[in-house]
Amino acid sequence: MDSPFLIIMIIIEVSGAINAFIANLKGFNPILWFFTAGILGLIVVALLPSAKKEEEGTEEYNHRRAKANWWGFAILIFAAVSI
């Protein structure tokens, strides 16, 4: 393996882990957000309003969670198409 390739893969994995961690704290799907690795995913997950655990089961919680996971899926598709 080339060194630059390995470094890029490590950066992608670390940024994916950071995105997943933030998503989990906000009540979003961490697995989906792991695959949005990169600066775009980080910016979006950081700016989205939290779906707080105290509100779990309410309409507002479900709406915020669904909206955030939709954005994560959209970024994932965008990244896949871009590559």
Side-chain angles (χ1 to χ4, degrees):
M1 263 192 233
D2 294 330
S3 262
F5 177 76
L6 184 60
I7 292 170
I8 290 170
M9 292 306 295
I10 291 171
I11 290 170
I12 289 172
E13 289 178 15
V14 168
S15 65
I18 292 169
N19 291 352
F21 178 74
I22 294 171
N24 190 40
L25 288 178
K26 290 187 165 196
F28 309 149
N29 183 346
I31 296 170
L32 174 68
W33 282 95
F34 175 81
F35 292 105
T36 63
I39 192 72
L40 180 60
L42 180 62
I43 291 170
V44 172
V45 78
L47 292 178
L48 285 170
S50 177
K52 296 180 182 171
K53 293 291 183 185
E54 301 87 47
E55 301 173 349
E56 191 167 345
T58 65
E59 186 176 328
E60 182 68 22
Y61 171 83
N62 293 334
H63 175 71
R64 285 183 181 175
R65 184 173 167 90
K67 181 179 179 182
N69 291 332
W70 183 90
W71 273 105
F73 185 71
I75 292 169
L76 179 63
I77 296 299
F78 174 75
V81 170
S82 299
I83 292 174

